[in-house]
Amino acid sequence: MDRFRMIFQYFQSNSESVMNGICGLLALASVKMYTCFDFSCPCLPRYNMAYGLGIMFVPPVTLFICGLILNRQSLVMLEEWRRPQGRRKKDLAVIRYMCSSIMQRAMVAPVVWIVVTLLDGKCLICAFSGSVDPEKFVGFANASPVQVQQLLAKVPCKDDELMRNNTSRKAVSRYLRCWSQALGWSILLILIIAAFLARWLRPCFNQATLLQARHWSNYIDIEQKIFQETCCEHSRLFAHKCILHFFESMRQEIKLHSFSLPREGEGAEGEEDLLQGITDQDQVNKLLKMWYYEKPPLDVSRV
Amino acid sequence: MDKFRMIFQFLQSNQESFMNGICGIMALASAQMYSAFDFNCPCLPHYNLAYGLGILLVPPFILFLLGFVLNNNISMLAEEWRRPQGQRGKDQAVLRYMFCSMAQRAMIAPAVWVSVTLLDGKCITCAFCTSVPVETLGNASHPGLSQGEMKRVLARIPCKEIYDGQELIANEVAVRYLRCISQALGWCFVLLMTTLAFLVRSLRPCFTQAAFLKSRYWSHYIDIERKLFDETCAEHARSFAKVCIQQFFEGMSTDLAATRCHPPRKAPADGGEAAEKLLGITDQGTMNMALKSWHRCKPPLHLHPPALPSGNGWAGEGQPPAHPPVPRRERAAYYSRV
């Protein structure tokens, strides 16, 4: 019993670290998903932009929603928000704190995806190859607008027969990749500076409110876990009593119907107690049949 | 007993995480199955669609059913659904809760299969290669090809080695186009599934929290009650067997004592427990007879109340105050040749 309580307490006190762990796993999963994903630009004039931007923005939305689903605290927060007031006042500061911590954790995986996409460059090359100014590149300067669009759309596809030996293709590709990587690094730098400032400057503003909000959000989380655990324990005891009551009522019924006088001075007391007065095959069969056909009522107050 | 209870409680309180673990394993198995599967497009006009859509839709259905089969709680749900009402009312909300939570977990592996299939692209390429818009992507004005011929040529798109329509439409162009559509569908499907999951999870606290708490408690209760009943029955069976066997040995020992015409050897006072445990059988012949009797003629499943200990051990001497109707035992006649 003690060891169980110890393990349980460890998990309770470390719910923050459990959530951080999930957040980290999701970020790693996001990188892995990107590397496994077989990016394949369609190389057609209007489809490129849709595909490129789609791959850059739809998976992050999915990862964000996944981050919200996998975080237990989001359910706790929603319950706290929607519960009737009753005799316990609702503290909006706590709900806001929980909401912001959930959002921060859920944003990590999408940001990782976007940064990895930008640093890799394929998405931006695919999406914006058709928007490049053809005058800047020798190979595309002397062609009709329609042809230029077609050719530019094929830039992301290295193996296409038209593009295989085209030196301007590499130039466009390098140009777009340079922009993509610059954008990626800038976003990363801005986010890290923002996170750094947020952590350093936070103690300067409302530290007391923050401590209170954090304490009570932790409390709500732990309270819910303990409630669930108590319900499990209670239902186990309830079931135990119900079953014992059932065996007892079967024993009384057997006594009523079989005229066997009560035994006095039993020799093997321990075993006879466990047998609960049910001592032959027919009685056992009857007990099992009764258990199926007529389960006892959910009422142990008569025990 | 305590240690068992401790482990049991731990598993119970973590039943959700146990089921989630199985769910995750099935999802990984589904992805692994797809990568191990050797996709082999037939490259024939009508077979392509059937094969492609079959691979897209039949394995998820199988995985969904497997998710139900592997879930231990399905028999519990069936039992609760079919039991006669008796003295305990049936709560439809509890049944619905149990079914919904099982169905949600069973949906994950099929969803993973469909997503991986769409994101990979081979299935859609195979299924829809005959519907590629040749006018926009290739040379529709390529002469000398009837509709049927064109379909036959287009059907070979997934099989690069035998594709002979390079002038009609380039193989890479068609494959890239179909793959782009497939991946777009795949990501939309993933987004849709996660949004649905999020809505299902987050709408519950807003609307039906009290009913949910009730259903969850009673569904756990039904599970625990079933397990405890099985445990109690197992304990009862153990005690039953112990008393039955004890009575068998006592019966043997009494029988043999009666046929040998001398009182059963009483355990010497200083023999201790070991002598008592011998149950009156103290030589090879007697033991062999006991074993043979156990095999040939097992005792009935009826435990008679233990006979009260009488003065000098003679069976039958002295009347016990309460005289329950003991069934007559057949006495084997052993003729001693002493």
Side-chain angles (χ1 to χ4, degrees):
Chain A
M1 221 41 228
D2 277 341
R3 219 167 54 183
F4 169 68
R5 247 181 245 290
M6 243 168 58
I7 296 173
F8 194 65
Q9 271 172 354
Y10 174 75
F11 274 114
Q12 278 175 349
S13 65
N14 271 328
S15 70
E16 289 255 334
S17 54
V18 166
M19 285 189 301
N20 287 345
I22 292 187
C23 175
L25 275 173
L26 209 54
L28 284 175
S30 146
V31 173
K32 180 80 182 146
M33 250 167 63
Y34 183 78
T35 47
C36 288
F37 178 64
D38 191 10
F39 188 89
S40 142
C41 194
C43 295
L44 298 163
R46 280 180 301 277
Y47 289 72
N48 276 7
M49 175 84 86
Y51 186 82
L53 292 182
I55 298 296
M56 197 148 91
F57 292 120
V58 168
V61 172
T62 309
L63 287 166
F64 180 73
I65 296 179
C66 263
L68 292 178
I69 292 174
L70 290 177
N71 195 342
R72 238 193 101 257
Q73 228 189 19
S74 57
L75 269 183
V76 172
M77 181 205 79
L78 272 174
E79 278 170 30
E80 176 65 16
W81 182 39
R82 298 300 301 172
R83 72 172 168 92
Q85 181 134 330
R87 296 197 290 185
R88 185 189 287 188
K89 274 197 319 224
K90 282 204 259 197
D91 190 354
L92 282 177
V94 172
I95 296 175
R96 270 198 308 266
Y97 172 83
M98 285 169 83
C99 194
S100 78
S101 93
I102 292 166
M103 293 286 175
Q104 281 168 29
R105 287 198 172 89
M107 290 283 279
V108 171
V111 163
V112 166
W113 174 280
I114 291 179
V115 166
V116 167
T117 306
L118 287 174
L119 291 179
D120 189 33
K122 288 194 288 231
C123 265
L124 233 64
I125 295 176
C126 184
F128 293 107
S129 67
S131 323
V132 162
D133 183 7
E135 304 299 319
K136 290 194 192 149
F137 302 97
V138 173
F140 301 117
N142 308 320
S144 69
V146 174
Q147 255 188 336
V148 156
Q149 278 303 311
Q150 293 264 342
L151 284 174
L152 282 175
K154 288 198 193 290
V155 159
C157 299
K158 291 196 254 278
D159 302 325
D160 191 82
E161 48 195 354
L162 289 173
M163 287 285 133
R164 218 166 279 161
N165 302 317
N166 194 329
T167 46
S168 304
R169 178 198 73 78
K170 289 193 193 144
V172 174
S173 192
R174 273 199 307 263
Y175 173 75
L176 286 169
R177 186 173 249 162
C178 157
W179 270 106
S180 171
Q181 290 181 339
L183 199 58
W185 283 116
S186 315
I187 288 180
L188 197 57
L189 184 67
I190 290 172
L191 284 175
I192 293 203
I193 290 179
F196 176 77
L197 285 175
R199 269 184 95 98
W200 272 85
L201 295 181
R202 198 165 51 178
C204 305
F205 302 98
N206 280 336
Q207 179 69 351
T209 321
L210 180 72
L211 286 175
Q212 278 176 10
R214 191 164 66 184
H215 175 267
W216 289 114
S217 80
N218 214 17
Y219 171 80
I220 293 171
D221 193 20
I222 288 179
E223 191 188 47
Q224 220 206 35
K225 279 190 201 141
I226 292 185
F227 180 75
Q228 276 179 24
E229 198 229 17
T230 312
C231 277
C232 270
E233 177 75 28
H234 183 269
S235 66
R236 202 191 69 79
L237 290 170
F238 196 112
H240 191 56
K241 279 230 151 58
C242 199
I243 290 169
L244 283 179
H245 190 202
F246 175 74
F247 271 82
E248 180 63 34
S249 67
M250 284 298 301
R251 180 208 284 213
Q252 281 173 6
E253 208 176 293
I254 287 166
K255 270 200 196 141
L256 274 175
H257 289 151
S258 64
F259 306 112
S260 59
L261 299 168
R263 280 178 249 124
E264 293 165 17
E266 284 108 8
E269 266 182 17
E271 295 298 340
E272 299 295 336
D273 275 347
L274 283 171
L275 284 172
Q276 313 261 10
I278 290 155
T279 49
D280 76 40
Q281 190 183 23
D282 289 333
Q283 291 170 0
V284 171
N285 286 343
K286 184 163 181 224
L287 179 139
L288 293 173
K289 201 161 99 168
M290 279 290 282
W291 180 255
Y292 177 68
Y293 279 102
E294 280 192 37
K295 277 212 165 66
L298 291 169
D299 180 4
V300 295
S301 53
R302 288 172 286 155
V303 175
Chain B
M1 214 50 224
D2 272 345
K3 215 162 68 171
F4 173 71
R5 250 179 246 288
M6 217 168 74
I7 297 172
F8 185 67
Q9 265 175 353
F10 183 72
L11 275 180
Q12 270 306 321
S13 67
N14 271 328
Q15 197 196 37
E16 294 264 330
S17 54
F18 176 70
M19 293 311 304
N20 288 345
I22 293 210
C23 195
I25 289 176
M26 273 199 63
L28 284 175
S30 152
Q32 183 61 28
M33 248 168 67
Y34 181 79
S35 51
F37 177 65
D38 189 13
F39 189 87
N40 200 356
C41 193
C43 293
L44 297 164
H46 301 291
Y47 289 70
N48 276 5
L49 187 67
Y51 186 82
L53 290 183
I55 298 294
L56 183 65
L57 298 173
V58 169
F61 183 66
I62 295 175
L63 287 167
F64 182 67
L65 291 178
L66 199 64
F68 272 106
V69 164
L70 288 180
N71 195 335
N72 291 336
N73 293 341
I74 187 83
S75 59
M76 180 176 87
L77 172 65
E79 209 181 288
E80 178 63 16
W81 184 38
R82 297 299 302 164
R83 73 170 168 93
Q85 184 133 329
Q87 298 178 31
R88 185 189 289 188
K90 279 206 261 196
D91 192 355
Q92 292 296 327
V94 173
L95 291 170
R96 270 198 310 264
Y97 169 80
M98 286 178 5
F99 181 73
C100 282
S101 79
M102 277 193 270
Q104 279 170 26
R105 289 199 170 90
M107 290 273 281
I108 292 190
V112 167
W113 175 279
V114 172
S115 318
V116 170
T117 306
L118 288 174
L119 290 177
D120 188 35
K122 289 195 286 236
C123 266
I124 297 285
T125 307
C126 183
F128 294 107
C129 53
T130 48
S131 322
V132 165
V134 185
E135 308 80 34
T136 39
L137 297 178
N139 311 323
S141 56
H142 188 81
L145 279 181
S146 65
Q147 277 291 336
E149 272 289 318
M150 191 150 75
K151 281 229 176 317
R152 213 167 306 137
V153 168
L154 287 176
R156 297 213 186 111
I157 287 176
C159 304
K160 289 197 200 13
E161 320 82 49
I162 56 171
Y163 184 61
D164 55 356
Q166 206 65 8
E167 305 84 34
L168 178 61
I169 176 171
N171 190 296
E172 302 86 31
V173 171
V175 167
R176 274 197 308 256
Y177 173 79
L178 289 165
R179 195 176 233 182
C180 156
I181 304 260
S182 175
Q183 288 180 341
L185 276 175
W187 280 117
C188 290
F189 178 76
V190 171
L191 184 64
L192 185 69
M193 287 284 118
T194 30
T195 311
L196 268 175
F198 176 71
L199 283 176
V200 163
R201 253 175 100 97
S202 59
L203 289 182
R204 193 238 304 147
C206 300
F207 295 107
T208 53
Q209 183 70 357
F212 165 75
L213 285 174
K214 197 175 79 152
S215 307
R216 189 170 65 177
Y217 179 86
W218 289 114
S219 84
H220 275 166
Y221 173 81
I222 292 169
D223 189 29
I224 288 178
E225 189 189 50
R226 192 174 72 140
K227 289 190 180 117
L228 270 178
F229 182 76
D230 286 343
E231 186 191 303
T232 313
C233 281
E235 267 181 42
H236 185 272
R238 209 188 76 87
S239 309
F240 197 110
K242 195 163 167 184
V243 174
C244 194
I245 291 169
Q246 212 165 18
Q247 290 183 349
F248 169 74
F249 272 97
E250 275 165 15
M252 284 295 307
S253 146
T254 320
D255 274 347
L256 288 168
T259 53
R260 285 196 199 144
C261 305
H262 54 72
R265 261 175 253 129
K266 260 189 115 141
D270 55 347
E273 269 184 38
E276 268 183 34
K277 281 192 181 154
L278 286 173
L279 300 170
I281 294 170
T282 45
D283 64 78
Q284 190 183 25
T286 321
M287 191 66 218
N288 286 342
M289 215 170 312
L291 292 171
K292 202 157 85 175
S293 177
W294 178 253
H295 174 66
R296 293 245 174 93
C297 179
K298 279 210 163 71
L301 289 168
H302 179 88
L303 306 178
H304 29 269
L308 291 174
S310 44
N312 60 355
W314 277 102
E317 194 179 281
Q319 291 291 320
H323 192 61
V326 178
R328 285 184 66 96
R329 272 203 312 265
E330 283 183 320
R331 286 178 195 272
Y334 301 106
Y335 291 103
S336 165
R337 296 205 181 183
V338 170

